[in-house]
Each structure stands twice: as C-alpha cells, then as structure tokens.
Amino acid sequence: SQRLSFVKPHQYMALRRAEKEGSLTVRITVDIERVAALCRRQALRDGGDARLRSFAHTALRDGIQRLAIPSASRAARSALARTAEQCAMRVLEANLRARLLQPPRRGVTVLGVDPGHRHGCKVAAVDPRGQCLATEIIQLNDLRTKAQDLVALYGVDVIALGNGT
C-alpha cells in the first residue's frame, strides 16, 4: 500500500504489467468518510429539516462512492499511465540514441538500412575498408528476406539502422 503521489513511473508500469498478466490486482482506495465530510462542509449547511439533511447526506455519500471515486480512480490511473509512458519513451530514446549514434566500427562489414515507407528502404553494404559492396532500394515488406540474403552474401557483422529521414 502506497500513496499515489509516491508511485514512480517505472513502478506503475510494473504494476500494470503484473495486473495484465493476472498476477495481482491494483486498487485505488479512498477514505470515503473523509471525502464525504469535506463535501458536506462545502455543500451542506447546518439548519433546516433533519430528515432532509439525512437524505442529502445519504445521497452525497452514494454519489461519492458510486460515481466520484470510480471516476477519480480512472483519471488517476490514466494520468499515471501517461506519465509512465512518457518517462519510458525518454529512457528508450536516450538508450537508443547512445546505441545508434556510435561512431563506425573498424574491421567489420556493415549493412546500413535507412527505413522508408513511401519510397522503400535504402540499403548499403560496406566492407571493413569502407568500400561499398552493394546498394539497393528494398520495399518494406521484402526487407527481412532481402536483408538476410545480403547478410549471408557479404558476411555482414553489424547492421546499422537509420532514422528514416
């Protein structure tokens, strides 16, 4: 049990994964009495008919329990998910940037692939001395088989992916 404000994005992602797999159930609990007291102070004034106050109190409690809390729980989970996904994308971007923007490696045959949907993927094989072995434009749906053929034909050691721009 932990306050929502203390849940870290990576913890929430792990909780969602475990919940999706059926390993656990995540619930947001709310102190209904505390919320009802706050609402009573804001909405209901003292005085008037006791039966009317009792009815209003019951209706307020029912509305909080049946409508407000489930709605607030969904909104909180949605906000947590959005924050967690944004954080995960920033981490992924930083990790990929470090990997994909490494300087060229010496002594290896490289297959460079620049993905493209509209005009096909540009592919080039370069030998360890930097000499171009082959260039091709391959449609995205044929990329896997053609790339495997080029890897086998030229003994490719490393595949470098471009960003498609």
Side-chain angles (χ1 to χ4, degrees):
S1 175
Q2 189 173 19
R3 292 180 61 94
L4 273 180
S5 58
F6 295 128
V7 176
K8 303 275 189 287
H10 67 277
Q11 292 171 325
Y12 186 69
M13 294 290 273
L15 288 171
R16 281 181 55 190
R17 253 191 322 275
E19 189 174 37
K20 189 174 183 178
E21 292 171 358
S23 303
L24 57 86
T25 301
V26 176
R27 264 187 245 134
I28 297 175
T29 57
V30 177
D31 183 358
I32 295 172
E33 291 306 320
R34 186 172 169 204
V35 173
L38 178 67
C39 290
R40 272 195 309 274
R41 279 195 305 270
Q42 295 295 320
L44 302 176
R45 301 284 180 232
D46 289 335
D49 186 9
R51 289 181 301 171
L52 183 58
R53 274 198 326 269
S54 174
F55 175 76
H57 172 71
T58 304
L60 180 66
R61 185 176 166 78
D62 177 60
I64 291 168
Q65 191 167 1
R66 205 170 41 84
L67 303 170
I69 289 176
S71 177
S73 292
R74 283 190 301 275
R77 287 178 70 119
S78 178
L80 277 171
R82 195 171 30 258
T83 301
E85 288 167 0
Q86 289 170 349
C87 188
M89 289 304 295
R90 283 193 301 272
V91 169
L92 177 65
E93 178 185 356
N95 291 343
L96 283 176
R97 184 174 304 278
R99 290 280 183 205
L100 295 177
L101 296 179
Q102 291 179 348
R105 296 187 54 192
R106 293 177 188 243
V108 295
T109 302
V110 178
L111 180 69
V113 180
D114 189 32
H117 293 282
R118 195 174 302 149
H119 301 291
C121 301
K122 284 74 171 180
V123 179
V126 180
D127 73 6
R129 294 181 315 272
Q131 299 297 313
C132 183
L133 300 173
T135 59
E136 285 192 42
I137 296 177
I138 303 170
Q139 293 305 312
L140 197 57
N141 55 352
D142 298 328
L143 181 61
R144 183 180 203 164
T145 55
K146 298 252 179 144
Q148 286 173 340
D149 293 343
L150 290 170
V151 166
L153 180 65
Y154 296 110
V156 171
D157 300 307
V158 175
I159 297 176
L161 295 174
N163 63 3
T165 59

